[in-house]
């Protein structure tokens, strides 16, 4: 039998709304998290039948909740079924962001504003660089915008209309699962898992999103780390049985540190989930805030989804991580450092880079005061006489130039020619004296040349 196959398009089953086929394999279907840069880190989006875990250890910020709100908003915009597991699920849903009416893209408008500022401040030197493409630290939303509305643009300043939530509730596409119960611990975990199994027993004609905004919060009771690992592992097993479902979970801040779960706690969380990230904010460390004023925290990757493959598709298709570009598509270890920031309109994940002059916001054109050098053309003896206590404590290095064996120019007489036609003698050009550098033990701040 010949191994030749005719080249042509592969026939696929009708896709679900708000989903795409993974660029790595046609066996995997992916959906957007609502954040284009996070989709790029995941390799195009979150695969169906997979789980995503977000850990945000900072108690003074809510970046984990912000990622979950993007996840829910994208599900409502894509007409997906939503199951929110939380004690205050309804209030949490009403606080999500939404797309501004009548505007197709927020990011395009932001880029236009930046381009206008760049036109006002044109480069005065090296004018040829004006036509070069500006340095980009994140992915553009144009690659994720298409006719199928894979990833919508949401404005953090807007809120979802009440009519959208009511319409989703009446149609059955939005449901809440309350975790407040008299049973805590392992009994509550088992009850929640059984209710999730019952909610997934439905027609598989549309994608299903499961969102757990705060696993381990006080409404869950006192949970041990074994019970959290059991819940995450069991939830992933349930998702494997339903190829159109996916889940996004955020841990309570006090459960995301190794002081609570023990050594290697975050690595264990990555083993029981398909993708696990940590959003380490700078608000707990003022020195990092001063070092990186344009960012709000670092992104740490513990695991990445790899359904139907051995290597995660993110290693090959992620632009922000930079593995495919640096290693030529064969793998490598020069991965980019990733960070995140929350602007007035959106949450962005991008590569970490220093500002001008290694962190100084203003380009320096004059030397600092500490590098000033005083030059003196006087002799070494005169320097001894003019030394004063004030000059010793001034903190400014004094440099003296001393000539070694200076000699007057020699006159060479012409002995062969005795007439008066020529000059009596020719002046020979003086040779440049050699210079020497000597260290003065009595004054370490002075050097003798």
């Amino acid at each position: 039998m010949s191994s030749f196959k005719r080249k042509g398009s592969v026939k696929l089953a009708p896709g679900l709304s708000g989903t795409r086929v993974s660029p790595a394999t046609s066996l995997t279907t992916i959906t957007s998290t609502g954040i284009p840069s996070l989709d790029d880190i995941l390799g195009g989006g979150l695969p169906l039948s997979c789980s995503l875990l977000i850990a945000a250890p900072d108690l003074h910020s809510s970046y984990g909740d912000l990622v979950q709100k993007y996840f829910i908003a994208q599900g409502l915009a894509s007409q997906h079924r939503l199951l929110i597991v939380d004690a205050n699920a309804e209030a949490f849903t009403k606080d999500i962001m939404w797309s501004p009416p009548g505007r197709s893209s927020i990011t395009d408008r932001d880029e236009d504003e930046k381009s206008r500022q760049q036109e006002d401040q044109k480069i005065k030197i090296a004018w040829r660089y004006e036509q070069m493409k500006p340095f980009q630290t994140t992915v553009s939303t144009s690659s994720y915008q298409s006719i199928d509305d894979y990833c919508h643009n949401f404005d953090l300043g807007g809120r979802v209309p009440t009519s959208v939530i009511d319409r989703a509730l009446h149609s059955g596409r939005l449901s809440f699962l309350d975790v407040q119960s008299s049973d805590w611990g392992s009994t509550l975990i088992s009850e929640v898992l059984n209710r999730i199994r019952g909610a997934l027993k439905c027609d598989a004609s549309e994608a299903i999103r499961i969102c757990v905004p705060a696993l381990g919060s006080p409404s869950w009771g006192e949970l041990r780390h074994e019970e959290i690992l059991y819940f995450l592992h069991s939830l992933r097993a349930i998702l494997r049985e339903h190829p159109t479902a996916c889940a996004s979970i955020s841990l309570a801040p006090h459960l995301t540190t190794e002081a609570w779960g023990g050594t290697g706690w975050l690595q264990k969380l990555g083993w029981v989930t398909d993708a696990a990230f940590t959003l380490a904010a700078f608000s707990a460390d003022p020195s990092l805030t001063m070092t990186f004023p344009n960012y709000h925290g670092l992104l740490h990757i513990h695991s990445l989804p790899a359904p139907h493959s051995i290597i995660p598709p993110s290693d090959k298709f992620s632009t922000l991580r930079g593995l495919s570009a640096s290693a030529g598509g064969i793998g490598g270890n020069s991965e980019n450092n990733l960070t995140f920031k929350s602007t007035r309109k959106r949450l962005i994940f991008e590569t970490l880079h220093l500002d001008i002059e290694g962190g100084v916001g203003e380009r320096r054109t004059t030397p600092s005061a500490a590098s000033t050098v005083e030059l003196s053309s006087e002799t070494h003896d005169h320097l001894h006489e003019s030394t004063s206590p004030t000059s010793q404590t001034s903190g400014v290095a004094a440099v003296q130039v001393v000539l070694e064996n200076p000699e007057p120019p020699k006159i060479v007489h012409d002995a062969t020619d005795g007439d008066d036609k020529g000059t009596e003698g020719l002046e020979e050009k003086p040779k440049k004296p050699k210079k020497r550098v000597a260290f003065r033990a009595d004054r370490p701040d002075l050097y003798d040349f």
Side-chain angles (χ1 to χ4, degrees):
M1 180 178 178
S2 175
S3 60
F4 173 78
K5 294 182 180 180
R6 184 182 299 275
K7 184 178 179 181
S9 59
V10 182
K11 295 183 179 180
L12 300 176
L16 305 175
S17 62
T19 61
R20 285 181 181 177
V21 177
S22 174
T25 172
S26 59
L27 300 176
T28 304
T29 305
I30 58 177
T31 185
S32 175
T33 60
I35 308 174
S37 51
L38 184 58
D39 292 342
D40 175 84
I41 297 173
L42 291 170
L46 178 63
L48 297 182
S49 73
C50 292
S51 59
L52 169 65
L53 178 66
I54 300 295
D58 187 20
L59 297 172
H60 307 285
S61 60
S62 57
Y63 294 110
D65 294 344
L66 188 59
V67 175
Q68 300 304 326
K69 290 178 181 179
Y70 270 103
F71 184 77
I72 298 175
Q74 180 62 36
L76 288 176
S78 301
Q79 304 296 320
H80 291 173
R81 289 190 57 193
L82 284 166
L83 175 62
I84 304 176
V85 184
D86 192 68
N88 301 317
E90 186 175 358
F92 187 83
T93 306
K94 292 181 179 179
D95 196 41
I96 65 175
M97 71 290 298
W98 197 245
S99 302
R103 295 176 183 176
S104 58
S105 176
I106 304 172
T107 55
D108 293 343
R109 182 181 59 184
D110 295 341
E111 292 176 357
D112 293 340
E113 293 178 357
K114 291 181 181 179
S115 62
R116 294 192 196 99
Q117 294 177 1
Q118 292 178 357
E119 289 177 0
D120 296 339
Q121 301 176 353
K122 287 188 176 181
I123 303 176
K124 296 182 180 180
I125 60 175
W127 52 270
R128 290 177 294 180
Y129 296 156
E130 291 184 359
Q131 304 299 328
M132 295 182 63
K133 184 179 180 180
F135 179 69
Q136 294 182 356
T137 58
T138 187
V139 294
S140 61
T141 58
S142 58
S143 58
Y144 290 87
Q145 294 174 357
S146 61
I147 57 176
D148 56 356
D149 292 334
Y150 176 74
C151 182
H152 290 73
N153 292 285
F154 300 101
D155 188 356
L156 292 178
R159 288 295 175 266
V160 57
T162 309
S163 59
V164 176
I165 298 179
D166 295 339
R167 189 162 52 249
L169 288 172
H170 292 319
S171 62
R173 290 186 292 103
L174 177 62
S175 57
F176 304 133
L177 198 160
D178 192 0
V179 297
Q180 288 184 348
S181 175
S182 58
D183 298 328
W184 285 4
S186 59
T187 307
L188 178 60
I189 293 294
S190 301
E191 180 184 352
V192 172
L193 290 174
N194 291 331
R195 295 177 66 179
I196 291 176
R197 289 190 184 96
L200 294 179
K201 292 180 180 179
C202 59
D203 186 14
S205 60
E206 53 187 356
I208 306 174
R209 293 176 179 241
I210 303 173
C211 179
V212 185
L215 175 61
S217 61
S219 59
W220 289 77
E222 295 291 337
L223 296 180
R224 297 175 299 174
H225 61 275
E226 296 90 351
E227 296 170 345
I228 293 180
L229 294 177
Y230 172 75
F231 175 80
L232 295 175
H233 187 269
S234 301
L235 180 59
R236 186 175 66 172
I238 294 174
L239 295 175
R240 292 294 191 271
E241 300 174 359
H242 299 82
T244 60
C246 62
S248 180
I249 310 103
S250 287
L251 279 180
H254 67 281
L255 304 182
T256 57
T257 60
E258 293 189 350
W260 185 85
T263 305
W265 170 242
L266 296 176
Q267 284 74 15
K268 294 177 183 178
L269 294 176
W271 293 339
V272 295
T273 54
D274 296 290
F277 299 150
T278 295
L279 275 64
F282 291 156
S283 55
D285 193 347
S287 61
L288 292 176
T289 305
M290 297 176 61
T291 306
F292 306 102
N294 296 329
Y295 306 106
H296 293 161
L298 294 175
L299 176 67
H300 303 291
I301 301 175
H302 305 293
S303 62
L304 288 167
H308 306 102
S309 62
I310 300 177
I311 301 176
S314 175
D315 293 352
K316 184 177 181 182
F317 298 100
S318 176
T319 304
L320 293 180
R321 295 183 64 202
L323 288 177
S324 59
S326 60
I330 58 175
N333 56 357
S334 55
E335 184 174 353
N336 295 330
N337 296 321
L338 301 178
T339 182
F340 66 91
K341 63 180 179 181
S342 179
T343 63
R344 187 167 56 93
K345 298 183 180 299
R346 55 177 178 158
L347 178 65
I348 309 172
F349 293 89
E350 59 183 17
T351 57
L352 177 65
H353 66 282
L354 295 176
D355 293 333
I356 302 175
E357 299 293 336
V360 179
E362 201 172 63
R363 187 179 295 276
R364 297 175 179 174
T365 56
T366 57
S368 59
S371 61
T372 306
V373 178
E374 294 182 356
L375 296 178
S376 176
S377 60
E378 307 205 358
T379 59
H380 179 69
D381 296 333
H382 180 69
L383 182 63
H384 278 285
E385 297 175 0
S386 61
T387 303
S388 62
T390 58
S391 63
Q392 295 180 1
T393 60
S394 61
V396 179
V399 179
Q400 181 186 7
V401 179
V402 181
L403 301 181
E404 185 179 5
N405 299 328
E407 297 181 359
K410 297 182 180 180
I411 301 177
V412 181
H413 296 278
D414 192 359
T416 58
D417 191 359
D419 348 295
D420 296 337
K421 294 181 181 178
T423 59
E424 295 182 355
L426 298 176
E427 293 185 1
E428 185 181 0
K429 294 183 179 180
K431 297 181 179 180
K432 295 183 179 179
K434 297 180 179 180
K435 297 181 180 180
R436 59 184 176 85
V437 179
F439 175 73
R440 296 185 55 182
D442 54 343
R443 296 188 60 187
D445 58 335
L446 297 182
Y447 290 85
D448 295 338
F449 288 86

